[in-house]
Amino acid sequence: MSNRVLIFDTTLRDGEQSPGASMNQEEKLSIARLLQELKVDIIEAGFPIASKGDFNSVQAIAREIKDCQIAGLARAKHEDIETAWNAVKEAKNPRIHTFIATSPIHMQYKLKLTEDQVLEKIKDSVSFARNLCPNIEWSCEDGGRSSIDFLYRCIELAISSGATTINIPDTVGYTLPYEFGEIIKKVKNNVPNIDNAIISVHCHNDLGLAVANSLNAVENGARQIECTINGLGERAGNAALEEVVMAMKVRSDLLKVHTEINTESISKTSKLVSSITGFPVQPNKAIVGANAFAHESGIHQDGVLKNVETYEIMSPESIGLKKSSLVLGKHSGKHAFKEKLKILGYDVGDNYINEIFAKFKMLADKKKDVYDEDIIALVDDTHINQINTLKLLNLSIMSGTNSKHVASLELDFKGEIKEISGSGNGPVDAVFSCIAKVVGFSPKLKLYNINAITPDSDAQGEVAVKLEYLNKEFIGKASDIDIIVASAKSYINAINKIINFEKNSNMQEGVSEISLTNMKGI
């Protein structure tokens, strides 16, 4: 038995069946392209008989996507099967996926067929499909609640009629993991021709067990998992692709299987599916949730700063994220807080850290989100004796609708008075250019934001800038009645942080590269 597990993605079929998750053709193509980059083995592109639009989408995907098998779903009807074939036949590797229900409740109330009639339909539909396409998957809908002996007969007949993949779905998410695994084990041991087909599973999440059921099935011989991005799907959804894939990767020591999935494309694929469907991913969702690699607890933060493996069993890079994040909140510890101050450009001595940290804790109890600006204000309000290498002494601007914008500044830089003038695309640009010339470097302006502190016409303007320098970000903030002066002060505030950071760079060489982000859930 091979130790490779095939990944059959049904986001574009079962996922789209989630109420409100319908997608147009271009949206489906966008997702299919990322699924190809993700290196899924099979893309179930849709249910071609459902509508003309679905047919066209499946056909477009079949024509464009070359590195994945493309499957179309069909009921056990000639019309469905022929329509599915016409939709996928131009694919490099097409597949017809046909199904019929096999549980007593489905046969009696939905199909109104006897066991013998269901067997006849299996033979007829699979044989018809095989005459069109050599790659046939057959599914026993509601297999989890089917009679095991009847299941043996259905599967044996489907394989002898031409099925190359046998899918056993837990359609209503009813079974428990050991129970579902036992079904797979019994099928493998009791269907005479089972070695002529791949066993697949398709588990729904009604009891929150879809991933566990899928993995238990793999342990018992299944070698294809049908799943969706973000666990999208009818009712409570399907087994989440990202969860089954990363479980097999992280715990390959026990499961002893692997996939060919390019896991570094997981994060962006998750984001695209969420964006297109409008279904947000819950923050605490495994693997792709916003908090999956975020740490707020002081104990956790301290551990992660010392060794990331203390609290992370996989790296954020393994799913396509750049870094973990340590979220500052009321549960954060002093160690993480001090590292945050260093990133913001403050080198805080032991004489001040306790006082600032106590104020931070009080603030965190009152605020849900603690931002960089809040921390900067705490530091400034505590009157830390930070050395300001650069100071603004005087500023004048010449500006007009038909004249150049020229700034003249008088600065104190390292104890020396510097006078400089320069022009720019606007008065603020001219000021920033002059300051950059004096200090000898020009950081990238990532953010420039102006707010009125009060609603009055003579209100002070509060300016915040974010500068990027040596792949780090530094925030400056200042206020003044003159908005140009406030801009100059905020820029100088950030420049001083850069200078202070460079002075202490030797001390920071051992600092963890884990980003202490200012926003929860990033």
Side-chain angles (χ1 to χ4, degrees):
M1 182 170 57
S2 169
N3 66 350
R4 177 181 173 186
V5 175
L6 302 177
I7 297 299
F8 178 112
D9 183 275
T10 184
T11 303
L12 300 178
R13 198 276 299 172
D14 199 323
E16 193 195 25
Q17 290 174 199
S18 301
S22 293
M23 311 169 213
N24 61 37
Q25 181 172 314
E26 189 51 47
E27 289 170 336
K28 282 194 166 190
L29 273 168
S30 297
I31 292 173
R33 291 176 189 126
L34 271 189
L35 292 175
Q36 179 173 238
E37 181 181 317
L38 196 60
K39 294 187 178 180
V40 304
D41 299 284
I42 305 101
I43 297 174
E44 187 166 50
F47 198 168
I49 196 69
S51 70
K52 182 63 176 175
D54 215 31
F55 177 92
N56 290 339
S57 295
V58 175
Q59 188 176 62
I61 291 168
R63 287 171 174 169
E64 179 176 330
I65 304 301
K66 302 302 180 185
D67 296 335
C68 311
Q69 294 182 38
I70 306 300
L73 186 67
R75 293 168 297 183
K77 297 181 177 181
H78 285 205
E79 182 186 7
D80 277 36
I81 293 167
E82 194 165 15
T83 301
W85 172 242
N86 287 331
V88 302
K89 66 183 180 182
E90 294 180 57
K92 184 177 179 181
N93 195 342
R95 174 183 292 200
I96 295 175
H97 179 194
T98 185
F99 70 97
I100 193 169
T102 56
S103 68
I105 191 169
H106 275 242
M107 289 190 292
Q108 180 180 352
Y109 293 102
K110 188 180 78 172
L111 300 180
K112 301 186 186 305
L113 296 175
T114 65
E115 287 187 352
D116 287 341
Q117 289 173 319
V118 168
L119 288 168
E120 288 176 13
K121 283 190 170 291
I122 292 170
K123 182 177 180 180
D124 176 68
S125 59
V126 174
S127 298
F128 182 76
R130 184 57 185 265
N131 286 330
L132 298 173
C133 178
N135 186 354
I136 305 300
E137 176 171 336
W138 177 78
S139 290
C140 45
E141 187 184 6
D142 204 20
R145 293 191 295 175
S146 298
S147 161
I148 193 68
D149 290 325
F150 182 56
L151 211 53
Y152 298 156
R153 295 170 63 195
C154 292
I155 293 170
E156 182 180 2
L157 179 58
I159 295 172
S160 64
S161 299
T164 51
T165 299
I166 296 296
N167 180 45
I168 303 174
D170 185 23
T171 304
V172 292
Y174 178 73
T175 60
L176 299 180
Y178 72 88
E179 181 184 17
F180 192 62
E182 192 66 18
I183 292 172
I184 304 305
K185 183 178 180 180
K186 288 179 177 179
V187 165
K188 191 157 184 64
N189 291 335
N190 292 280
V191 175
N193 56 357
I194 193 63
D195 289 341
N196 295 328
I198 293 170
I199 299 176
S200 175
V201 291
H202 180 119
C203 299
H204 277 262
N205 206 38
D206 298 70
L207 293 177
L209 298 171
V211 170
N213 283 344
S214 299
L215 295 176
N216 208 307
V218 166
E219 286 189 285
N220 284 280
R223 286 298 178 266
Q224 178 178 293
I225 294 178
E226 306 197 358
C227 45
T228 60
I229 302 296
N230 299 337
L232 200 65
E234 291 190 280
R235 304 184 312 281
N238 292 269
L241 179 148
E242 59 277 4
E243 294 180 27
V244 294
V245 166
M246 293 308 293
M248 286 185 281
K249 182 172 182 175
V250 172
R251 295 315 312 270
S252 61
D253 59 323
L254 289 181
L255 293 171
K256 301 189 186 305
V257 292
H258 72 277
T259 72
E260 297 297 317
I261 293 295
N262 171 25
T263 63
E264 292 181 4
S265 292
I266 283 176
S267 181
K268 64 180 176 182
T269 307
S270 168
K271 288 180 172 64
L272 178 67
V273 170
S274 177
S275 174
I276 286 176
T277 61
F279 282 36
V281 177
Q282 67 190 62
N284 63 328
K285 164 77 169 63
I287 316 300
V288 294
N291 291 343
F293 293 94
H295 310 271
E296 182 180 331
S297 162
I299 295 172
H300 287 218
Q301 290 176 339
D302 183 61
V304 168
L305 284 168
K306 291 172 179 174
N307 186 324
V308 69
E309 292 183 8
T310 52
Y311 288 101
E312 289 186 3
I313 60 173
M314 69 198 90
S315 70
E317 293 84 358
S318 68
I319 67 160
L321 295 175
K322 291 183 179 179
K323 297 176 181 177
S324 300
S325 60
L326 301 189
V327 180
L328 289 185
K330 66 179 182 179
H331 301 110
S332 297
K334 190 185 298 182
H335 189 184
F337 182 72
K338 194 169 183 179
E339 294 298 327
K340 180 63 169 177
L341 292 180
K342 287 183 179 180
I343 285 177
L344 292 176
Y346 293 104
D347 182 28
V348 182
D350 293 336
N351 293 333
Y352 294 99
I353 188 65
N354 290 333
E355 183 181 355
I356 303 170
F357 185 65
K359 290 185 177 181
F360 163 74
K361 282 287 194 178
M362 292 175 63
L363 179 65
D365 276 332
K366 298 175 182 177
K367 290 193 68 178
K368 183 177 180 180
D369 298 313
V370 179
Y371 300 100
D372 284 357
E373 290 81 1
D374 295 312
I375 297 170
I376 291 167
L378 281 177
V379 176
D380 292 341
D381 289 345
T382 313
H383 303 292
I384 292 189
N385 294 320
Q386 180 182 344
I387 298 173
N388 287 322
T389 307
L390 181 68
K391 297 176 184 177
L392 177 67
L393 301 179
N394 193 26
L395 166 65
S396 63
I397 294 289
M398 183 178 71
S399 184
T401 56
N402 297 313
S403 60
K404 286 185 177 181
H405 303 279
V406 178
S408 298
L409 285 79
E410 185 178 357
L411 300 165
D412 181 336
F413 183 52
K414 297 181 179 180
E416 295 184 21
I417 305 302
K418 303 282 187 179
E419 294 183 356
I420 187 168
S421 296
S423 60
N425 293 326
V428 173
D429 183 53
V431 168
F432 289 177
S433 296
C434 287
I435 295 171
K437 287 178 183 176
V438 168
V439 297
F441 60 89
S442 183
K444 183 177 181 180
L445 181 65
K446 299 281 288 185
L447 172 73
Y448 176 76
N449 189 48
I450 303 173
N451 288 303
I453 295 176
T454 64
D456 309 304
S457 60
D458 61 349
Q460 287 195 91
E462 182 182 64
V463 176
V465 299
K466 183 184 289 184
L467 306 183
E468 184 182 280
Y469 185 69
L470 298 178
N471 295 319
K472 295 186 180 296
E473 293 181 346
F474 301 84
I475 293 175
K477 195 173 181 182
S479 57
D480 197 277
I481 293 175
D482 187 325
I483 199 64
I484 306 301
V485 173
S487 299
K489 287 180 177 179
S490 65
Y491 193 83
I492 288 171
N493 183 230
I495 289 289
N496 276 318
K497 290 173 185 174
I498 293 174
I499 294 170
N500 289 332
F501 179 81
E502 285 191 306
K503 286 180 181 178
N504 296 300
S505 60
N506 292 333
M507 297 172 58
Q508 297 184 36
E509 285 178 358
V511 174
S512 169
E513 291 185 1
I514 296 172
S515 171
L516 305 181
T517 186
N518 66 337
M519 297 186 71
K520 282 194 173 186
I522 295 299

